[in-house]
Amino acid sequence: MRTNNIWLILLCCLVLTGCVKTKILDDVELIMTYGFDWDPATEKYKGIAVAPVYGRSEQAELGENIRYTGEAKTLQEINSFIQTEAPFQVEVGNILAILFSEDLVTNGVEEIIHAINEAPDIGRDINVAITQGDTETLLKTEYKMELTLSRFIEKLIENNSKSNIPKMNLHQFNYRLIGDGMDPFLPILEQSETSIDIAALGMMKDDKLVHRIPYEQFFIFKLLYQDCEDHTYEFEWEEKSETIAISSIRSTRSIHWKSKNEVVIKADIIGTLTESKKEGVKTFAKKKELEQAVSKKLKEESKQLIQTFQELEIDPLMVGASAKSKFRDWNRKEWESQYPEITITPDISFELDLSNIVQ
Amino acid sequence: MNHFKPDITQMVSPFLLLYIVHATQIGEGILSFERHIARIAGYDAWISIILTGVLTTFVVVIIWRIVGEEQADFMTIHQFIFGNLFGKLLTFIFSLYLFAISMTVLVSYIEIIQIWFFPDMSIYFFMFILVMLILYISLGGFRIVVGFAFFSVFVTGFLAIFKYKAFTDGHFNNLLPVFNTPPKDIILAMEPMSFSLLGIELILIYAPFIHRFQSGLKWAVSSNIFTTIVYFFSAIAIFMYYNEQHIQFISWPTLQLWKVINFPIIERFEYVGISLHMIAIIATSCLYFWASMQCFHRITTFTFRKISIFCALIGISSIFFIHNFLIIEKITLTLSRVGMVLLFGYIPLLYVCHKIASGVKKKHANK
Amino acid sequence: MIRKKFSHKRNQNKQSKKDVTNFDDLFHVMQASDDFKHFKLGNINNIEVFYYQSLINLDKIEVTLFEKLEDTKIDKIEVLENLLPFSETEITSDLTTIEDKLLTGYMGLKLTNNSQNILLIPAKFEVDRQVAQPEIEFSVIGPKLAFIEDINTNINLIRKRVKLPQLHVKNVEVGKVTKTNVAITYIDGIANQDNVDTIIQRISDIEYDQIMDSSFVSQMISDNAQSPFPQLMDTERPDRVSSALVEGKVAIVVDGSPHVLIAPTTLVEFFASYEDYFLTWPIASAFRIIRIFAVIFSVLITPMYVAVLTYHYHIVPGDLLGTLISSRKDIPFPPILEVLILELTIELLREAGARLPTKIGQTIGIVGGIVIGTAAVEAGLTSNVLLILIALAALASFTTPIYRIGNTIRLLRFPFIIFAQMWGLVGITIAAMFLVTHLLRLTSLGRPFLEPLYPPRWRDLKDAVIRFPFNVQGSRPVITTATDKHRINTNRTKLKRGKRK
């Protein structure tokens, strides 16, 4: 008898079906890349949304994209503006990458980032990047690529995050943007003739772009920033006018505080010698010589990089956060005034553990 | 004292206290408590969790003392101490509180579902289905309610695994240096924390339904400790994953953490997680609902079935009045205050009163 | 007490046939049927013989009976009884007995001296098929015998396996018209007497005119008749029944049914094939886990498809997105309709296949599976991803060893699909919660149906999802509340250390 009632209720459900708006997979416009430009004239954000076009069967994968643009002061408004152009319902739940133009980042992204954070649809494991020039031109150009544009940008940033640059997804960006004693950084995408590539890392002070480090310094930065692996480093041995490549580098990084004004960033690197054109490493003495030369070179380069950071008063290496966890009386204001003066010493030791297959 | 003896088919083994207590404690709170405690005590708030855990363990022991060998429940004790009419009145207030919690838990979870899944959902109909479900479980009797709670613990256990992401991606530095918050703040943070550990007061109501109740103390205490550990690790995970400034921006840190988790077939775990966590919500709500109905049933002459259906209808209609997120927050806050007073004020007081009353009555009996 | 109840019922029957007060009246009623024969025998024609031709084995009778009675002169019926070389003869004047016996293949003899006493001689005409291989619960390894429609053969098959005088059989007759013989079988001293009494009580209380099969009994005595879940296990394997008897359960053998009911039972038992006991325990456990996984998969996969494609495009990973969108590009229906159409097609195929003779059934399966499936995809009515999922789900629903629960599982997914359409994944969770609650509320002979999962009983978990080896299963399942709890002395099953085996 009781169960009978329950089935009756289930029947009621049937009758009352359809109270929620559906988002059927093939009947929505899936925005996969969102680019934002700043229009100084109207003081509005200009959003460029890229959605993929899928073919009717797997064989006929088109790899084509549709672009929509909208201009407004808030993200939701941009979305509804875009809706006026799109045939299907615009959905932002599948965004893979968010791009900001250089202008926008120089002016500050905090507002738009908070708008993005407020949308529950948007994930946190998505890539954030800066584009050199307008995002509109970068996203509107037709490229010849196997993947759709959105997937291309996603894969480009994701695979480089494994080797060349540190990983920076939306969550990590937020973490650094909001947290004390740290500053975020973002990869800068550049439009080349036929494709897109990662040109530099943009260092930010709070939410504004202040500095960019080129490809040559990626390795040094990553070394000082986190433990890393699977990296290659090209070492120019000036004394012997020789170029050596070192690959499969594994490094461990740690911060040691000597006193309140003195800190050592220690990085131990283990690598494999792969391309040594003229001579191999055959004796212990030779090995030691090479190791010391590499360490010395890296130390110098690191010192330079850290100095730049201190001059710009930015802290992408999260030294401030480390100080905060070390000293009880840490406070933000004091730290910010102190930061340019403290001595940060990089202590880098390099060790070879394997040689290449060719003697 | 005239004792209440439930039907033997509705009684459960004391071992299941491990699940009942845990399921009552874990509800919507686990998704957001980190923010509340961190607001007051910063990232030393994990100490508050442990302290609250210890304190609630004492309350559990006190409850065991109150119930005693006779397996007296709340209603019996109230009437024993305060007399028939006043005792019934107190029980009535208490059951109103339980009923309010039962519905608030549901409504606040519907809020999450609205935000994440269906902003345009008809909450009245949704609430109707959920209350029907709760009614269906509750009318099965205590054994069914416990059975549901039993399965819900496995679901929350499964979901707890997914905090691993915070341990691999987080920064342990966030927690250092320890004891950097004034002790006063740590004590103050116990208030929002104790709302998360509420649920042990229900033992007073279902005590007669447990076989060999006295031997259940170890299970109830281990359950309370287990819940504390779950909260502790949850807080550590979230504190590692967000820094102190960041966490204040986030309403449900755990849900945001799930956003980052992906598998080859599931890109965004939060959608699965929210759906599964609803099982825990229903279990909590259902235990409270059952307890509340049991109180009403004991102090009135209505049958359990009638009073349940009546209250379910009230519960459904309550959503017409509490649909605003600010009201929900206000109610939650009030209930958490009441719960804390109940746990740490009223229950020890009741113990003292019970001691005195039984002493006096014994004397009278001897004369 | 039970007997009292029983005889009380008899009296009721008598009262309902008010017009039949003496043998002549009964004789009159029976004579109306053309296959009722009666004639007189003997020297002075004082022996009346009457029987139903369709129930009697005439060859057997003619040789012995007629020859002997040809020239005898008998005036007392007891003399006649001693004269005839038959066992199980009976002299009675009770009308109900006479009626019952005549209708179950007895021959009646009466002397024409106005005495109401009638001699009944068994001469049953047996038409039953031979004991054959099991068709539903077929196993590759192990015995290949199945029950047949005859109750005595079935009990014989059980007795052959359980050689104990304590194996008791209690006969109850049910069905006002069909008067079907139901045998409640149990091992005295192992089975809990409460269970036996409950079953006898419930079966004797059945008020229905016809009992054609054990499933009639099953539906009438189960705790919750409204539930889609069977609460009594029905099996056609004598080994399974014998094993259940030894565990302390009660078997119900119904005349005319090749399926024997076992009670009490639990949900997990429906997913245990008896073949599991013929395999070594790691393999058997793996198969059981696969079966349970298949069931969950079968119930949930199509609702998941509906939920994800209708509401949660977020959770589809990028690599899969292209495949899903491409496959659905041409389909004019929303996912719910697509799923319902295809599910209905599968159900139609299955139903048609089950109704048709074996050979045509196979053809239907092939035609339906290949032709309709491919054509539907090519015509753009369903997506090929869904076709794969539905086919897998249908396949998975047939892995259950007990046919009856397979039916339940096939139908179970429809409420899930409706809930998925309403609220996506949340809806599926709600449906799952309703299902779990329903299962929690179910009982089999008053014992929890979800045992040993809930209430958790570690002893029974040894033979639930995982089948542990025989030597650790030292006690009978808690669910049966067996009088004799211990199966074996576990101390003696342990390997003796330092000794060669």
Side-chain angles (χ1 to χ4, degrees):
Chain A
M1 193 54 212
R2 273 179 207 174
T3 26
N4 245 352
N5 291 342
I6 292 296
W7 288 110
L8 259 176
I9 289 159
L10 283 182
L11 211 76
C12 286
C13 301
L14 236 173
V15 179
L16 292 161
T17 316
C19 8
V20 200
K21 190 171 80 182
T22 58
K23 302 166 186 169
I24 298 169
L25 190 66
D26 51 329
D27 290 346
V28 288
E29 205 64 58
L30 292 173
I31 307 294
M32 286 197 162
T33 309
Y34 226 132
F36 293 100
D37 284 333
W38 175 248
D39 190 345
T42 54
E43 292 206 326
K44 279 179 178 174
Y45 294 103
K46 197 170 179 190
I48 301 97
V50 183
V53 181
Y54 289 104
R56 283 179 191 272
S57 71
E58 267 307 274
Q59 286 81 18
E61 177 101 43
L62 296 173
E64 276 182 11
N65 309 287
I66 315 179
R67 284 101 174 157
Y68 303 107
T69 47
E71 211 177 305
K73 285 194 170 169
T74 56
L75 177 67
Q76 289 306 319
E77 199 55 33
I78 298 174
N79 281 346
S80 36
F81 202 94
I82 285 172
Q83 184 67 73
T84 60
E85 301 163 43
F88 295 120
Q89 187 183 320
V90 170
E91 285 292 336
V92 291
N94 246 326
I95 286 183
L96 299 172
I98 290 175
L99 307 181
F100 299 113
S101 76
E102 223 176 336
D103 290 348
L104 180 58
V105 185
T106 331
N107 283 319
V109 286
E110 192 159 4
E111 201 181 272
I112 191 83
I113 279 285
H114 277 307
I116 292 166
N117 284 343
E118 263 176 42
D121 282 19
I122 298 174
R124 287 291 173 276
D125 195 15
I126 58 178
N127 301 297
V128 189
I130 303 170
T131 58
Q132 203 157 16
D134 277 357
T135 52
E136 192 172 0
T137 40
L138 183 123
L139 290 175
K140 283 211 164 165
T141 319
E142 287 289 344
Y143 306 95
K144 269 201 170 159
M145 41 185 73
E146 197 189 355
L147 302 159
T148 57
L149 181 59
S150 315
R151 298 275 288 158
F152 177 84
I153 294 172
E154 185 214 0
K155 290 279 164 216
L156 177 75
I157 301 173
E158 221 154 65
N159 280 319
N160 275 294
S161 304
K162 279 174 196 154
S163 54
N164 287 322
I165 52 172
K167 190 174 165 62
M168 182 60 61
N169 62 20
L170 184 58
H171 165 74
Q172 284 157 330
F173 183 75
N174 282 331
Y175 183 89
R176 283 159 187 77
L177 185 67
I178 299 166
D180 286 346
M182 51 188 112
D183 285 306
F185 56 88
L186 289 175
I188 298 180
L189 299 183
E190 186 193 41
Q191 190 178 0
S192 67
E193 266 174 45
T194 53
S195 182
I196 302 170
D197 43 52
I198 294 178
L201 268 180
M203 298 293 148
M204 298 167 81
K205 184 170 172 61
D206 294 333
D207 64 332
K208 293 182 182 64
L209 181 70
V210 289
H211 178 64
R212 50 166 66 201
I213 59 173
Y215 171 77
E216 289 73 35
Q217 282 178 316
F218 280 5
F219 176 60
I220 300 291
F221 179 68
K222 200 171 179 183
L223 209 62
L224 294 172
Y225 175 75
Q226 64 176 143
D227 298 350
C228 51
E229 51 185 48
D230 206 14
H231 222 294
T232 40
Y233 176 60
E234 187 189 80
F235 171 58
E236 271 179 50
W237 203 342
E238 280 156 15
E239 294 146 42
K240 299 203 174 180
S241 63
E242 202 180 344
T243 312
I244 291 168
I246 293 150
S247 70
S248 304
I249 288 167
R250 306 182 291 287
S251 75
T252 46
R253 171 256 199 193
S254 53
I255 292 187
H256 303 276
W257 288 86
K258 300 268 179 216
S259 73
K260 231 181 157 178
N261 300 318
E262 207 185 336
V263 63
V264 178
I265 300 180
K266 202 165 150 37
D268 296 321
I269 315 165
I270 298 165
T272 311
L273 190 68
T274 44
E275 288 176 40
S276 53
K277 280 165 197 148
K278 283 180 188 159
E279 48 190 316
V281 178
K282 295 211 170 62
T283 59
F284 281 105
K286 177 89 184 177
K287 180 171 173 264
K288 196 161 189 184
E289 193 189 341
L290 179 70
E291 283 173 357
Q292 273 171 352
V294 173
S295 305
K296 203 178 145 211
K297 179 87 189 293
L298 285 172
K299 232 178 252 181
E300 271 167 26
E301 282 178 18
S302 319
K303 214 164 214 166
Q304 220 178 338
L305 189 67
I306 292 168
Q307 211 162 8
T308 331
F309 289 157
Q310 279 181 308
E311 277 161 17
L312 288 164
E313 293 183 25
I314 54 172
D315 190 6
L317 297 175
M318 294 166 73
V319 182
S322 164
K324 188 187 173 191
S325 68
K326 190 80 189 172
F327 305 109
R328 281 177 186 279
D329 49 350
W330 190 91
N331 77 60
R332 192 181 167 165
K333 279 218 173 100
E334 199 186 321
W335 168 257
E336 274 170 3
S337 59
Q338 265 177 7
Y339 178 64
E341 274 96 56
I342 62 166
T343 35
I344 305 174
T345 338
D347 174 16
I348 293 169
S349 63
F350 174 76
E351 197 190 319
L352 268 182
D353 71 338
L354 290 169
S355 179
N356 53 345
I357 52 166
V358 183
Q359 282 293 318
Chain B
M1 282 200 267
N2 62 328
H3 285 295
F4 168 66
K5 275 267 166 278
D7 183 17
I8 191 137
T9 55
Q10 285 307 331
M11 290 170 77
V12 298
S13 89
F15 163 72
L16 284 169
L17 275 169
L18 191 65
Y19 295 88
I20 309 171
V21 176
H22 184 72
T24 339
Q25 287 173 327
I26 300 264
E28 198 248 351
I30 189 132
L31 302 176
S32 62
F33 78 102
E34 293 97 345
R35 177 168 54 95
H36 295 296
I37 56 172
R39 194 180 59 233
I40 299 169
Y43 273 15
D44 279 335
W46 54 269
I47 304 165
S48 319
I49 301 176
I50 295 171
L51 287 179
T52 321
V54 171
L55 216 60
T56 41
T57 307
F58 280 120
V59 177
V60 172
V61 177
I62 290 176
I63 288 174
W64 247 256
R65 286 284 165 77
I66 294 176
V67 173
E69 291 290 344
E70 309 93 8
Q71 295 210 13
D73 63 352
F74 213 40
M75 289 63 94
T76 320
I77 293 160
H78 266 158
Q79 284 171 37
F80 173 68
I81 301 172
F82 303 111
N84 192 20
L85 201 68
F86 192 58
K88 272 188 179 173
L89 186 71
L90 276 177
T91 314
F92 181 71
I93 295 166
F94 182 68
S95 50
L96 275 185
Y97 155 80
L98 295 178
F99 183 63
I101 286 196
S102 155
M103 289 301 138
T104 318
V105 169
L106 272 190
V107 173
S108 56
Y109 203 70
I110 290 181
E111 196 189 345
I112 293 181
I113 289 175
Q114 269 187 299
I115 290 172
W116 245 274
F117 285 74
F118 314 114
D120 56 341
M121 181 176 66
S122 146
I123 45 171
Y124 310 114
F125 180 51
F126 192 70
M127 183 77 177
F128 173 74
I129 292 289
L130 290 191
V131 172
M132 281 301 126
L133 174 61
I134 286 176
L135 201 61
Y136 186 40
I137 301 170
S138 309
L139 289 182
F142 187 63
R143 209 179 59 81
I144 309 301
V145 176
V146 173
F148 196 84
F150 176 77
F151 287 117
S152 89
V153 171
F154 291 98
V155 175
T156 44
F158 171 73
L159 289 178
I161 299 169
F162 293 94
K163 294 241 161 91
Y164 79 91
K165 195 76 181 171
F167 290 101
T168 56
D169 287 11
H171 305 261
F172 190 69
N173 272 350
N174 288 344
L175 291 166
L176 299 171
V178 287
F179 301 119
N180 209 20
T181 323
K184 192 184 144 228
D185 286 350
I186 293 178
I187 302 289
L188 280 178
M190 285 167 69
E191 192 221 313
M193 192 56 224
S194 60
F195 183 59
S196 300
L197 282 162
L198 276 187
I200 44 182
E201 73 271 21
L202 288 190
I203 298 173
L204 278 171
I205 292 164
Y206 56 69
F209 287 84
I210 313 283
H211 284 295
R212 304 183 302 282
F213 181 74
Q214 284 304 317
S215 65
L217 179 61
K218 60 175 183 291
W219 296 116
V221 167
S222 9
S223 178
N224 195 47
I225 291 168
F226 178 60
T227 314
T228 313
I229 290 169
V230 167
Y231 275 119
F232 176 74
F233 276 104
S234 184
I236 295 285
I238 295 299
F239 289 173
M240 276 171 71
Y241 198 65
Y242 301 96
N243 54 44
E244 239 179 294
Q245 293 77 38
H246 195 182
I247 199 170
Q248 290 310 326
F249 283 89
I250 292 164
S251 309
W252 295 284
T254 306
L255 300 188
Q256 299 257 14
L257 168 64
W258 285 344
K259 269 179 185 288
V260 182
I261 297 168
N262 52 35
F263 302 104
I265 28 169
I266 301 165
E267 180 80 12
R268 298 260 295 280
F269 184 73
E270 100 234 49
Y271 284 89
V272 180
I274 292 173
S275 310
L276 286 180
H277 193 78
M278 198 161 78
I279 296 174
I281 298 293
I282 294 288
T284 311
S285 179
C286 196
L287 275 158
Y288 273 103
F289 184 82
W290 178 87
S292 165
M293 290 314 113
Q294 181 67 18
C295 286
F296 281 136
H297 164 62
R298 290 285 311 283
I299 57 175
T300 58
T301 48
F302 297 111
T303 60
F304 188 84
R305 191 181 160 80
K306 268 186 192 153
I307 200 117
S308 301
I309 292 169
F310 178 68
C311 285
L313 289 176
I314 290 179
I316 295 165
S317 41
S318 73
I319 202 157
F320 288 98
F321 306 107
I322 38 169
H323 49 261
N324 180 321
F325 68 98
L326 282 175
I327 299 176
I328 297 169
E329 209 171 296
K330 184 87 190 159
I331 293 174
T332 315
L333 203 73
T334 319
L335 285 176
S336 97
R337 293 263 158 78
V338 173
M340 206 184 69
V341 170
L342 186 83
L343 223 56
F344 303 124
Y346 185 67
I347 288 177
L349 187 78
L350 195 70
Y351 175 59
V352 175
C353 290
H354 183 243
K355 274 275 156 202
I356 294 168
S358 50
V360 169
K361 294 215 171 158
K362 212 176 259 171
K363 242 181 197 173
H364 275 284
N366 286 347
K367 272 175 191 174
Chain C
M1 194 195 85
I2 290 150
R3 193 171 297 153
K4 206 186 270 172
K5 183 117 192 166
F6 204 51
S7 57
H8 173 70
K9 217 170 149 189
R10 280 276 168 101
N11 291 335
Q12 268 185 336
N13 280 355
K14 229 181 218 171
Q15 279 163 7
S16 64
K17 293 173 198 157
K18 256 179 199 163
D19 46 334
V20 183
T21 45
N22 57 31
F23 181 72
D24 290 337
D25 291 342
L26 180 69
F27 195 74
H28 209 72
V29 174
M30 287 179 165
Q31 221 172 1
S33 175
D34 284 348
D35 64 342
F36 186 75
K37 303 284 176 196
H38 71 107
F39 48 86
K40 287 179 178 171
L41 272 179
N43 220 359
I44 46 166
N45 266 3
N46 68 338
I47 306 169
E48 269 184 75
V49 181
F50 44 88
Y51 54 86
Y52 277 99
Q53 195 185 10
S54 49
L55 290 173
I56 298 290
N57 189 350
L58 270 179
D59 302 342
K60 203 167 153 191
I61 304 296
E62 263 169 2
V63 194
T64 47
L65 186 77
F66 296 162
E67 275 178 10
K68 279 213 167 143
L69 297 183
E70 204 63 26
D71 331 288
T72 42
K73 187 169 177 258
I74 293 159
D75 46 7
K76 262 189 151 180
I77 198 128
E78 283 81 8
V79 181
L80 188 66
E81 188 185 6
N82 291 334
L83 191 77
L84 294 174
F86 291 102
S87 55
E88 282 185 62
T89 52
E90 194 182 343
I91 299 170
T92 178
S93 60
D94 180 28
L95 279 183
T96 332
T97 321
I98 295 166
E99 184 190 321
D100 285 354
K101 295 272 172 167
L102 283 178
L103 284 169
T104 49
Y106 280 72
M107 182 179 254
L109 281 93
K110 188 171 173 286
L111 298 177
T112 45
N113 54 4
N114 247 347
S115 143
Q116 287 286 320
N117 284 343
I118 287 161
L119 172 66
L120 295 162
I121 301 167
K124 207 172 177 182
F125 180 47
E126 304 272 354
V127 266
D128 267 318
R129 63 183 169 104
Q130 288 297 304
V131 174
Q133 284 205 348
E135 275 176 19
I136 305 169
E137 290 171 75
F138 184 79
S139 75
V140 183
I141 315 163
K144 288 173 188 58
L145 270 185
F147 288 122
I148 59 163
E149 282 77 5
D150 179 43
I151 189 166
N152 287 325
T153 318
N154 290 351
I155 294 172
N156 166 282
L157 285 172
I158 297 170
R159 269 207 193 276
K160 261 189 200 166
R161 284 168 180 78
V162 186
K163 296 180 190 76
L164 263 186
Q166 280 87 348
L167 179 74
H168 288 188
V169 176
K170 294 271 177 267
N171 281 321
V172 181
E173 205 170 69
V174 274
K176 261 187 186 160
V177 174
T178 56
K179 301 207 172 124
T180 313
N181 197 4
V182 175
I184 293 128
T185 319
Y186 61 97
I187 299 178
D188 191 32
I190 295 179
N192 190 326
Q193 195 58 41
D194 287 347
N195 287 344
V196 180
D197 290 349
T198 317
I199 289 179
I200 293 178
Q201 177 81 54
R202 284 188 190 176
I203 291 181
S204 346
D205 282 355
I206 289 178
E207 269 293 315
Y208 202 62
D209 54 350
Q210 48 171 328
I211 301 291
M212 289 299 171
D213 186 62
S214 61
S215 45
F216 280 61
V217 177
S218 159
Q219 288 170 54
M220 284 165 195
I221 68 167
S222 58
D223 298 22
N224 181 354
Q226 270 77 30
S227 171
F229 286 88
Q231 291 141 61
L232 280 94
M233 159 98 64
D234 65 328
T235 177
E236 54 168 5
R237 296 186 65 98
D239 44 3
R240 191 167 193 147
V241 174
S242 314
S243 162
L245 286 175
V246 175
E247 277 181 349
K249 291 179 184 167
V250 184
I252 304 162
V253 192
V254 179
D255 196 15
S257 166
H259 290 265
V260 172
L261 301 171
I262 304 169
T265 185
T266 62
L267 182 67
V268 280
E269 273 176 9
F270 283 98
F271 302 120
S273 156
Y274 202 70
E275 201 177 357
D276 290 350
Y277 298 96
F278 307 146
L279 301 167
T280 57
W281 74 271
I283 294 168
S285 306
F287 287 165
R288 271 195 194 178
I289 290 167
I290 287 172
R291 248 178 257 135
I292 289 170
F293 169 77
V295 166
I296 295 170
F297 177 87
S298 169
V299 173
L300 288 183
I301 196 69
T302 40
M304 288 282 215
Y305 179 87
V306 173
V308 169
L309 265 77
T310 315
Y311 296 110
H312 310 298
Y313 65 91
H314 320 74
I315 70 169
V316 183
D319 294 320
L320 203 64
L321 208 59
T323 319
L324 276 178
I325 293 180
S326 298
S327 78
R328 260 197 61 83
K329 204 84 189 178
D330 281 332
I331 289 125
F333 308 122
I336 171 85
L337 223 60
E338 196 191 348
V339 165
L340 285 179
I341 290 171
L342 218 53
E343 285 279 10
L344 210 68
T345 316
I346 292 271
E347 289 304 303
L348 286 180
L349 282 174
R350 197 203 56 79
E351 197 61 26
R355 299 288 154 260
L356 286 168
T358 329
K359 281 191 182 150
I360 306 173
Q362 278 175 1
T363 328
I364 288 284
I366 294 161
V367 170
I370 298 171
V371 178
I372 298 180
T374 327
V377 170
E378 275 177 8
L381 291 177
T382 52
S383 74
N384 39 23
V385 176
L386 180 67
L387 191 70
I388 297 168
L389 292 180
I390 295 236
L392 277 178
L395 199 64
S397 74
F398 290 115
T399 56
T400 48
I402 305 288
Y403 179 70
R404 211 171 275 272
I405 195 95
N407 286 341
T408 311
I409 281 154
R410 281 211 332 276
L411 282 181
L412 218 53
R413 68 176 77 127
F414 288 99
F416 272 86
I417 291 172
I418 290 159
F419 267 101
Q421 168 65 21
M422 280 163 66
W423 295 309
L425 287 175
V426 178
I428 295 180
T429 318
I430 293 176
M433 287 192 279
F434 269 109
L435 175 65
V436 167
T437 315
H438 178 69
L439 286 172
L440 278 168
R441 290 180 74 153
L442 275 188
T443 48
S444 169
L445 279 192
R447 319 262 173 226
F449 191 55
L450 270 187
E451 202 265 5
L453 306 175
Y454 178 80
R457 282 173 186 157
W458 311 122
R459 225 195 300 166
D460 286 12
L461 271 175
K462 283 179 191 166
D463 189 13
V465 181
I466 291 174
R467 185 185 79 78
F468 280 102
F470 292 121
N471 58 356
V472 298
Q473 303 201 23
S475 47
R476 302 208 157 82
V478 186
I479 183 82
T480 59
T481 50
T483 321
D484 181 13
K485 286 191 181 61
H486 300 287
R487 213 195 269 262
I488 44 169
N489 182 356
T490 31
N491 290 333
R492 300 175 72 175
T493 62
K494 280 180 194 149
L495 285 178
K496 291 186 179 62
R497 285 186 188 282
K499 274 188 188 175
R500 290 180 69 180
K501 246 207 152 174

